[in-house]
Amino acid sequence: MLKKGNKLYSILTGSCPKCQQESMYVHKNPYKPGHLFKMRERCGHCDTKYKIEPSFFYGAMYVSYGVGIAFAVAAFVIAKLFIGASLMNTFIAIVATLVVFMPVIIRLSRNIWINIFMKYDPTAVDATKA
């Protein structure tokens, strides 16, 4: 479905936005306690520096708001329209969804943010190995 070279591939897998060869994160599981924000300093394949400048990922907070809204709307649609829950139960479903998916939302936001500023380069790996 998703092939390398597509920004969506890098966003959903958390791989390097430039070469898409390895994960940007030390641990792929966002639910591992204490390791949510741990990222590699550079890509091992193309030597891309992930933290372009100090506090680079503060901008991901803006993206996180939009991603969180998307998750909340999805929870609302499922709870209210498909299941037919009451307004209070729908609210509880939205809050529970945001709490449970918080690590996923944070990582998705970081992936989207870095992919805004970097693009895929199929020759990135070849250039560093030559």
Side-chain angles (χ1 to χ4, degrees):
M1 182 176 128
L2 291 174
K3 295 182 180 176
K4 288 185 181 179
N6 188 346
K7 281 199 181 280
L8 195 58
Y9 176 84
S10 178
I11 290 169
L12 294 178
T13 61
S15 59
C16 174
K18 200 167 206 175
C19 71
Q20 299 180 355
Q21 295 292 321
E22 76 175 7
S23 176
M24 294 187 295
Y25 302 99
V26 176
H27 300 282
K28 285 190 174 191
N29 184 1
Y31 291 101
K32 192 166 187 176
H35 297 284
L36 175 63
F37 296 106
K38 295 207 178 185
M39 294 182 70
R40 300 183 201 289
E41 189 69 31
R42 295 181 174 273
C43 176
H45 294 277
C46 66
D47 204 37
T48 298
K49 186 176 180 182
Y50 295 132
K51 295 179 184 176
I52 299 170
E53 59 187 28
S55 306
F56 171 70
F57 286 107
Y58 281 168
M61 290 187 298
Y62 297 105
V63 177
S64 178
Y65 178 76
V67 174
I69 293 296
F71 273 75
V73 168
F76 172 80
V77 168
I78 291 169
K80 186 72 175 168
L81 301 180
F82 290 146
I83 299 174
S86 69
L87 191 59
M88 184 53 108
N89 288 340
T90 303
F91 176 74
I92 292 169
I94 291 170
V95 171
T97 299
L98 291 177
V99 168
V100 168
F101 286 105
M102 182 198 64
V104 174
I105 292 170
I106 290 171
R107 287 228 176 146
L108 271 176
S109 302
R110 283 181 166 221
N111 297 346
I112 292 169
W113 186 250
I114 198 166
N115 272 282
I116 290 173
F117 297 99
M118 293 184 186
K119 65 179 193 171
Y120 177 70
D121 183 11
T123 62
V125 178
D126 300 334
T128 58
K129 295 191 179 197

